[in-house]
Amino acid sequence: MERKYIPSEIEDKWQKYWEEEKSFNVTEDPGKEKYYLLEMFPYPSGKIHMGHVRNYTIGDVVARYKKMKGYNVLHPIGWDSFGMPAENAAIDHGVPPAKWTNENIDTMKKQLKKMGFSYDWDRELSTCEVKYYKWEQLFFLWMLDNGLAYKRGATVNWCSKCQTVLANEQVEAGLCWRCGTEVDEEYFEQWFFQITRYVEELLEYCDKLPGWPERVLTMQKNWIGKSHGCEIVFPMADSDDVIKVFTTRQDTIFGATFMLIAAEHPLVMELTKGKPIEQDVRNYVERVKKQDKLMRTSDYYEKEGIFLDAYCLNPVTEQRMPIYAANFVLADYGTGCVMAVPTHDQRDFEFAKKYGLELIVVIDNPDSSLDAETMTEAYIDEGILINSGQFNGMENLKALDSIAEHLESLGRGRKTIEYRLRDWGISRQRYWGAPIPVVYCEKCGMVPVSESDLPVILPADVALTGAGGSPLARLSSFVETVCPNCEGPAKRETDTMDTFVESSWYFDRFCCPHFDEKPGLDKKSLDYWMPVDQYIGGIEHAILHLLYSRFYTKMLRDFGVIDVDEPFTNLLTQGMVCKETMRCKEHGYLYPDEVQDGKCTRCGLEINIGKTEKMSKSLKNVVDPEYLIQKYGADTARMFCLFASPPEKDLEWSDQGVDGSFRFINRVWRIIIDYLDDIKGIEPFDGTVDLDGDLKKLRKKVHQTIRKVTSDIEDRFHFNTAISAVMELVNTLYQVKRPDKAHATGLSVVKEAMNAIIILLNPIVPHVTEEMWEIIGGQGRLSDISWPTYDESVAAEEEITIAIQVNGKLRSRVQVSADEDEDRIKERALNDERIVKYTEGKTIVKKIYVPKKLVNIVVK
């Protein structure tokens, strides 16, 4: 039978079927075990990119696999649709943000459907819709009443042109990411969520998330930044004021010879007010504020400061300590003041050398005595205390508690715990975000909007001109309102909420997207679906989004909305999609379609192939998923993304790899079509008769492949090795001598192999496998059938004995599977307990493997 594989026809057919039949829509079913699979929802930027394709394909494989394993799978999709790009588009092109956003959603939705993802589209949500953010406003009111939401003054990044506060990540090299204006630091009243109330629980539960990557947990722990230390009080030399410092190194207090204060700390200008140096200090402060905060604290950044013409006293030696403002001290960490111990901190050492400040050694090297005059770098290792009064001779780390207690007895210190984590600032001076439900009344002050008056709707008739400041503040129909308390005139809050707020609870709303009763979340649905069993997204969200989501979950739990402590049981952070860059001397970076035969299509010059980097529009090393779908089909795009690399690793783009995936799908298609007439009406082999030769080998391979693919998906998400296993099975099927039509048993074994290939590949390439399943007369739809099981007795390999030699002498033997790979056999040989005593403490020169016979370990 001749039948060509035409991806576009097959994919259109099955996408239409799944949509009409609502194949992946689910409801709560207490009789089935649930599985909630969620990829981080996209921002509707206009078009999907290969990062989306990879991320959502990974999730789709797991969702389809779990459904075939009998789980009630929730796999929703929605849109993180508030944010600055929509506002920028409105300013640049005169398109209202809502229109721009919704048009982008329509485009991206069509693209996602072309990929064949198994979403429950009836649960689709968009965070810019009133029916979503009105519940967010309710939670804000609860938090305000509870003290979890509050307003206070804070130093913020301020763009004078855009007239808005910027998050740290929106400041690039001291410039506004949006307009390129130099960013200033200003002091404004801002709204905050008190995430620090949950700091200990957030830290504690980092050790209760075994399904999260250790790398992410470490990043969260570091961001929370718990430090056990001491708060030390340094009296001012010429007044009754004091400077408080937090340190974990109170063992070095006797060596503190000067004080450093963050340049932006208010104390800097207070100490220099009215002094001749005031203007010089002010100029220095303004200059430091423009420096990148991360760069300022890096080891290689130049340490610089300015003397403030002020002194404090060392609390244990009474020595006068000059006070400097310094660029490598940050105001928002600790107290913003640092006692400098130049002999035992490298940054302090460099600063002291630069400004000619005193060095006193207080921790001596047990192996070689230190001399402050000859030191070329700080001594940062452990040692014995010297020049430390009554603590001389003690090991420095063992003296930490004793010195803290001594400081406490002097009334100049106390043991304490400090956290790096600060409360979450949610105020944004922009239009396209959820309004904050608060009004300001001259008589009553700040008053929360009544719950009965929610939602506070974001108005649509706003002129976005790019003039700066919140456009809402210029819209009197929005600003002018009535006080809920006294019914007198009042003005609405014109700040909107940080878009991280919307993404901190969307996974809860997916459980009940149409629930319209207070509080917008149905506890029965949440009890069934939450927590998310598998969350998938980029490592760039390892801190803020995940931390805020964890906080929000705990907040909703404490308000009785939800009963879980953590939102995500398992987390997968997929790698980036990377591609080599191509550059023309005349035209700069080029898109792939601007290069032909190694030359720029615009000028004919030879192009330079650059290094492989993350796909980005700025580098033009991007591949349009639409192009892939049109040329190869969605199944090929899916297979390449899964086969080219394990999901947690970066994927390096390869045109040859895409071609290879397409060829493999065609290879499977051809053998199915080739056997079609022969296997009509043939049932899969049921194991009732004994097999030998090729048929026995084929059946063994079938059950080994089922075992392998199941393990790779279930235990490790190693889709690349799962695909490799199916490829091996396909190769085996091609190699088997074709049974003639009269050999029903032989054809039944072939049918069992074909069924296995099609089903095992279905989560990976769902369209073509559904088509092949229908062609061979499979019962039902693949989207509804069960995952195959394997017979261990059939899959088991014969065991062989491998001799283990050390320097040519037999020392042990080990039983291995006949198909065990060489590396695994060598590993087992090395770890054999009888071998270890011959190799321990020796250098392994090489390991020689004689297939199916012996391993010889050469040592010296």
Side-chain angles (χ1 to χ4, degrees), residues 302-362:
E302 184 182 0
K303 314 299 180 289
E304 60 175 356
I306 188 168
F307 179 48
L308 302 182
D309 194 17
Y311 294 84
C312 62
L313 300 178
N314 185 303
V316 291
T317 68
E318 298 295 329
Q319 178 179 332
R320 285 166 65 88
M321 299 168 55
I323 303 173
Y324 283 74
N327 66 337
F328 61 95
V329 179
L330 299 182
D332 57 1
Y333 186 72
T335 65
C337 303
V338 173
M339 67 174 201
V341 185
T343 48
H344 304 294
D345 181 279
Q346 186 59 30
R347 295 188 304 178
D348 295 349
F349 180 86
E350 293 171 16
F351 192 92
K353 285 293 186 180
K354 182 172 183 175
Y355 294 101
L357 300 169
E358 184 179 9
L359 281 72
I360 300 174
V361 176
V362 291

Side-chain angles (χ1 to χ4, degrees), residues 6-17 114 767:
I6 305 175
S8 58
E9 294 179 3
I10 293 170
E11 291 172 3
D12 286 348
K13 169 185 173 180
W14 289 105
Q15 287 162 16
K16 183 179 179 182
Y17 172 83
K114 284 185 177 181
H767 308 89

Side-chain angles (χ1 to χ4, degrees), residues 833-848:
E833 60 182 21
R834 284 171 290 184
I835 295 302
V836 169
K837 65 181 181 181
Y838 292 103
T839 59
E840 200 167 25
K842 297 178 181 177
T843 301
I844 296 173
V845 178
K846 57 184 174 179
K847 302 181 287 287
I848 302 167

Side-chain angles (χ1 to χ4, degrees), residues 58-69:
I58 291 168
D60 196 56
V61 173
V62 179
R64 288 175 176 274
Y65 166 78
K66 289 293 183 179
K67 186 174 188 292
M68 297 172 86
K69 291 286 283 186

Side-chain angles (χ1 to χ4, degrees), residues 562-832:
I562 194 169
D563 284 336
V564 300
D565 297 313
E566 290 286 341
F568 315 119
T569 302
N570 297 291
L571 174 69
L572 172 66
T573 52
Q574 90 282 354
M576 299 180 294
V577 181
C578 305
K579 191 180 188 302
E580 62 189 13
T581 56
M582 294 179 288
R583 193 178 180 98
C584 169
K585 289 180 181 179
E586 180 71 22
H587 296 102
Y589 288 114
L590 301 175
Y591 288 107
D593 60 3
E594 294 178 312
V595 176
Q596 188 170 359
D597 299 325
K599 294 181 179 180
C600 174
T601 56
R602 296 160 67 181
C603 66
L605 289 176
E606 293 281 341
I607 58 107
N608 294 319
I609 303 295
K611 62 182 180 179
T612 298
E613 298 191 56
K614 177 186 176 182
M615 283 189 179
S616 71
K617 291 179 181 177
S618 61
L619 297 176
K620 298 188 177 181
N621 60 338
V622 294
V623 175
D624 186 355
E626 286 275 7
Y627 163 77
L628 276 185
I629 293 170
Q630 289 171 10
K631 183 174 182 180
Y632 297 101
D635 281 337
T636 292
R638 290 170 63 113
M639 173 162 280
F640 170 73
C641 285
L642 297 167
F643 184 56
S645 174
E648 71 279 5
K649 303 291 186 183
D650 288 349
L651 184 156
E652 187 169 336
W653 186 263
S654 163
D655 292 333
Q656 293 80 12
V658 176
D659 285 334
S661 295
F662 184 66
R663 286 197 304 272
F664 172 67
I665 293 173
N666 271 281
R667 193 162 190 254
V668 177
W669 176 270
R670 284 196 305 271
I671 199 166
I672 296 294
I673 298 301
D674 187 43
Y675 267 104
L676 197 54
D677 290 338
D678 293 358
I679 60 173
K680 274 186 179 177
I682 299 291
E683 292 296 319
F685 185 68
D686 58 9
T688 54
V689 299
D690 292 333
L691 300 173
D692 56 20
D694 275 358
L695 294 179
K696 183 177 181 180
K697 176 184 175 183
L698 176 60
R699 187 157 195 254
K700 183 183 289 292
K701 192 65 175 178
V702 167
H703 286 259
Q704 288 174 341
T705 304
I706 296 171
R707 180 178 63 186
K708 171 68 173 168
V709 173
T710 303
S711 173
D712 283 346
I713 296 178
E714 184 75 42
D715 301 333
R716 305 183 299 162
F717 292 173
H718 278 199
F719 312 115
N720 56 329
T721 54
I723 294 169
S724 290
V726 179
M727 288 177 170
E728 289 181 15
L729 176 57
V730 172
N731 288 341
T732 302
L733 181 56
Y734 265 99
Q735 292 162 6
V736 166
K737 183 180 178 182
R738 185 179 187 126
D740 59 43
K741 291 186 177 181
H743 192 179
T745 298
L747 291 174
S748 69
V749 175
V750 169
K751 182 69 175 289
E752 182 186 24
M754 287 185 171
N755 283 6
I757 291 167
I758 293 170
I759 297 172
L760 294 177
L761 284 176
N762 176 252
I764 296 159
V765 286
H767 308 89
V768 68
T769 49
E770 282 279 16
E771 184 71 13
M772 289 188 290
W773 186 252
E774 183 178 76
I775 288 171
I776 68 171
Q779 297 297 307
R781 299 301 182 199
L782 284 181
S783 55
D784 298 319
I785 72 165
S786 297
W787 188 255
T789 57
Y790 60 90
D791 186 329
E792 187 59 61
S793 65
V794 176
E797 277 285 1
E798 298 174 2
E799 287 198 333
I800 58 175
T801 301
I802 298 291
I804 309 175
Q805 298 176 346
V806 177
N807 289 344
K809 293 185 178 180
L810 181 64
R811 299 300 186 186
S812 186
R813 290 183 175 86
V814 64
Q815 295 293 117
V816 301
S817 170
D819 66 342
E820 193 85 78
D821 65 74
E822 180 179 336
D823 288 340
R824 177 64 181 145
I825 292 173
K826 287 179 178 177
E827 180 185 348
R828 290 188 60 182
L830 276 173
N831 293 330
D832 185 276

Side-chain angles (χ1 to χ4, degrees), residues 499-567:
T499 54
F500 274 121
V501 179
E502 283 84 62
S503 61
S504 293
W505 69 284
Y506 77 104
F507 40 85
D508 296 318
R509 184 66 176 167
F510 272 141
C511 298
C512 47
H514 308 297
F515 188 74
D516 202 35
E517 299 174 23
K518 179 181 173 181
L521 294 172
D522 177 32
K523 188 142 189 320
K524 182 180 177 183
S525 298
L526 291 170
D527 286 346
Y528 180 79
W529 291 115
M530 286 296 290
V532 175
D533 294 282
Q534 182 66 59
Y535 199 36
I536 302 173
I539 192 68
E540 66 271 19
H541 299 294
I543 298 175
L544 296 185
H545 164 58
L546 292 172
L547 194 64
Y548 293 156
S549 298
R550 296 178 62 213
F551 157 69
Y552 221 82
T553 296
K554 296 174 191 300
M555 176 272 291
L556 290 175
R557 175 202 63 194
D558 289 351
F559 282 123
V561 176
I562 194 169
D563 284 336
V564 300
D565 297 313
E566 290 286 341

Side-chain angles (χ1 to χ4, degrees), residues 199-200 203 221-231 246-250 333-334 414-422:
V199 64
E200 271 298 331
L203 185 61
K221 288 177 181 178
N222 290 341
W223 191 260
I224 293 168
K226 183 177 183 179
S227 299
H228 292 268
C230 190
E231 182 184 78
F246 172 79
T247 180
T248 59
R249 295 300 311 276
Q250 61 267 28
Y333 186 72
R414 64 185 180 89
K415 290 182 184 178
T416 188
I417 296 172
E418 183 74 18
Y419 299 91
R420 181 186 176 200
L421 182 67
R422 295 292 181 261

Side-chain angles (χ1 to χ4, degrees), residues 84-97 100 161-162 178-179 429-432 462-469 471 474:
M84 290 292 282
E87 205 161 326
N88 292 342
I91 294 168
D92 296 339
H93 308 297
V95 181
W100 184 86
K161 183 176 180 181
C162 297
R178 176 168 146 181
C179 69
Q429 291 70 40
R430 63 174 180 236
Y431 162 68
W432 194 235
V462 177
L464 297 173
T465 63
R474 297 189 291 271

